[in-house]
Amino acid sequence: MRIEAAEGWIRHAARNEVKFLVLVLHPPIILDNKGKKKEKFMMTLDDLPSSPKMETMRLALGGATVRLPTAATFASLADLSLEYLEFADGGGDLLNRLLSPACCPRLRKLRMKSVRFAGVRDLLLEAEALVELTWERLCWNPDAVRLRTPSLRVLRVVDCDLDRLTLSAPRLEELLFFGGQPQLYDIDIVGELSCVRSLKLQLMSHAPHGEGDHDDDDEDMDNVDYDINRVSTRLLNFCTAATCLDIDLYIAKKQDITEDRIPRLPQVTSLTVHATLSELHSFGVGIAHILPQCSNLKYLHIRCTVRKASLKTNLLCDHPDHWRPPHEIYLPHLKEAEFTGLVGTECELRFIQSMLTSTTQLQKATISFDREYNLTMNRINAFERIQMLEGRPFFF
């Protein structure tokens, strides 16, 4: 479909009081020898007429550059999705106007996916009625993004690289960061986040430098390490009422920088940890400092992923003591535990044993191994030794 035809359909829908508009555009994109777009497609919607009846609008515009409406209003619009487009210069101010109560007083759900901003340094988004907001792969780089959403309940941030986020959302219940966020930028919380019940974020056990970039005793490492987890630990301190916690834990080296940074989380009853390891060492690094803070935990799921590209087949863990937990783990209320993606090292066995022997209410434990590893002897030994925990229902 030509850009002019797409503009015509959008205008037609606005004039004729269409309630639902879904437009998915795939214009031809010509790339140069470096993979960059040679041609830009402009869609001009600045003179779009008002639409008092439209309730749902999804515009996926295939990378076109868009001039947003300058005067149109959408009194009934409740669900808006803007995808695969780039805002022309001045798009930040026009986006603020589009989302404002004066333009869309009933907007409750907003999704922005693969959106680019041109020349935006400070973006302020205010939407009084907004309840659910999803940012996915936003290609903007303003110095700061300020979000003022007094009714917001759900905020999802997926694969977004933001420098600074100021968040004012006192009724927020779900705060979910996917794809390597939020530790890469700074965050300011205006007010409280006392209503958050579900929280997903990332922690790192050590600075993500390449091998050989720094020595472990580098005098600057402390500052670097602190910056890595600063946003995540800040959110944990603001969201102490959360009951469901989901953590992407990246274990880059043997050291652990999460100690003394995890606050007490007495309300958490469900904990999921996806531990990504760069070498065959225990996923207990980092997790051992999280578990003691969740004193009322009932459900635990640990998913383990070893970066296979950096490992040889049958490579055994070489920890001299096969790792022991730095603190006693006591989970008196744990009823169900699940461990997936295990390799079969002694480290893993020690962690599981130290944790499961500390429980008194455990009803079910499920353990599964990564099929791509062939640590047969370790698996047999682990199976036999875990069976020594009598009276516990284990599933392999």
Side-chain angles (χ1 to χ4, degrees):
M1 181 186 292
R2 293 175 59 88
I3 292 292
E4 294 80 4
E7 292 178 2
W9 279 109
I10 297 173
R11 289 190 174 85
H12 176 80
R15 291 194 198 97
N16 290 274
E17 299 183 350
V18 171
K19 289 187 177 181
F20 303 94
L21 171 63
V22 177
L23 178 63
V24 180
L25 183 62
H26 301 283
I29 298 178
I30 303 174
L31 304 179
D32 62 18
N33 56 7
K34 295 184 179 180
K36 295 183 178 180
K37 191 190 302 182
K38 293 178 61 176
E39 184 179 353
K40 288 189 176 182
F41 301 88
M42 178 65 70
M43 178 175 288
T44 303
L45 300 176
D46 50 1
D47 59 347
L48 188 70
S50 297
S51 177
K53 296 294 183 65
M54 190 175 295
E55 298 175 1
T56 299
M57 179 164 57
R58 178 192 174 198
L59 300 179
L61 302 180
T65 300
V66 179
R67 296 188 184 277
L68 290 175
T70 58
T73 59
F74 303 88
S76 300
L77 189 63
D79 189 339
L80 174 62
S81 184
L82 301 173
E83 307 169 29
Y84 304 104
L85 58 90
E86 179 176 348
F87 294 128
D89 289 342
D93 293 336
L94 292 177
L95 179 63
N96 289 338
R97 194 203 73 83
L98 178 64
L99 304 180
S100 69
C103 182
C104 296
R106 298 185 180 180
L107 186 63
R108 295 178 57 84
K109 185 176 180 180
L110 172 64
R111 183 189 185 205
M112 298 174 63
K113 179 179 180 180
S114 296
V115 172
R116 293 180 178 272
F117 287 79
V120 176
R121 297 187 62 84
D122 189 354
L123 186 65
L124 171 62
L125 299 182
E126 294 184 286
E128 292 186 2
L130 195 64
V131 173
E132 183 176 333
L133 173 60
T134 300
W135 283 336
E136 184 174 354
R137 296 199 299 273
L138 298 190
C139 303
W140 58 19
N141 192 26
D143 292 336
V145 178
R146 291 175 290 161
L147 185 62
R148 297 175 184 171
T149 48
S151 301
L152 193 66
R153 300 294 197 278
V154 179
L155 174 59
R156 302 183 188 91
V157 181
V158 185
D159 289 327
C160 294
D161 187 5
L162 308 177
D163 287 340
R164 190 180 191 90
L165 174 64
T166 299
L167 178 61
S168 176
R171 298 183 181 180
L172 196 63
E173 297 174 359
E174 297 182 31
L175 179 55
L176 311 173
F177 290 90
F178 300 86
Q181 303 296 330
Q183 87 290 344
L184 296 179
Y185 59 83
D186 203 358
I187 188 168
D188 291 325
I189 307 298
V190 179
E192 297 183 350
L193 293 177
S194 58
C195 295
V196 172
R197 295 296 179 266
S198 182
L199 177 63
K200 178 175 176 60
L201 46 75
Q202 174 181 307
L203 288 170
M204 295 198 71
S205 69
H206 207 272
H209 296 299
E211 278 190 356
D213 286 351
H214 293 271
D215 294 327
D216 289 342
D217 58 354
D218 192 322
E219 61 183 9
D220 295 328
M221 287 300 289
D222 289 341
N223 292 332
V224 175
D225 292 345
Y226 176 76
D227 290 340
I228 291 171
N229 286 326
R230 178 174 56 189
V231 171
S232 294
T233 53
R234 183 174 174 81
L235 287 173
L236 285 171
N237 278 281
F238 267 93
C239 302
T240 55
T243 58
C244 182
L245 181 59
D246 190 330
I247 296 177
D248 288 327
L249 180 64
Y250 289 81
I251 303 173
K253 294 186 178 181
K254 301 175 187 178
Q255 293 90 339
D256 186 3
I257 61 171
T258 58
E259 187 174 8
D260 300 326
R261 298 187 184 183
I262 308 299
R264 291 188 56 80
L265 301 166
Q267 303 301 321
V268 172
T269 57
S270 176
L271 174 63
T272 298
V273 180
H274 182 191
T276 301
L277 295 83
S278 60
E279 51 192 8
L280 284 179
H281 289 296
S282 175
F283 50 74
V285 178
I287 298 179
H289 295 301
I290 299 172
L291 289 178
Q293 307 305 321
C294 304
S295 55
N296 291 303
L297 196 63
K298 295 181 179 179
Y299 172 79
L300 173 65
H301 182 190
I302 296 178
R303 295 181 293 145
C304 188
T305 300
V306 181
R307 294 174 180 171
K308 299 174 178 59
S310 62
L311 299 175
K312 298 179 180 179
T313 305
N314 296 334
L315 180 64
L316 299 178
C317 174
D318 61 357
H319 263 152
D321 61 352
H322 299 300
W323 187 83
R324 296 179 183 276
H327 306 291
E328 181 179 358
I329 299 175
Y330 182 51
L331 301 172
H333 305 290
L334 188 66
K335 294 184 177 181
E336 183 174 348
E338 185 175 359
F339 306 90
T340 59
L342 302 186
V343 177
T345 64
E346 191 78 8
C347 283
E348 293 173 342
L349 174 61
R350 285 182 180 273
F351 177 84
I352 294 174
Q353 284 185 314
S354 64
M355 193 196 70
L356 296 183
T357 54
S358 69
T359 65
T360 57
Q361 302 296 321
L362 188 67
Q363 299 175 0
K364 178 182 178 182
T366 303
I367 299 175
S368 65
F369 293 92
D370 188 328
R371 294 182 179 180
E372 294 192 31
Y373 286 98
N374 189 28
L375 304 184
T376 306
M377 185 60 65
N378 290 70
R379 294 185 187 183
I380 293 175
N381 291 340
F383 182 87
E384 293 177 346
R385 292 175 64 178
I386 289 177
Q387 294 304 306
M388 295 173 61
L389 301 176
E390 297 180 358
R392 303 295 182 91
F394 291 100
F395 300 87
F396 288 84

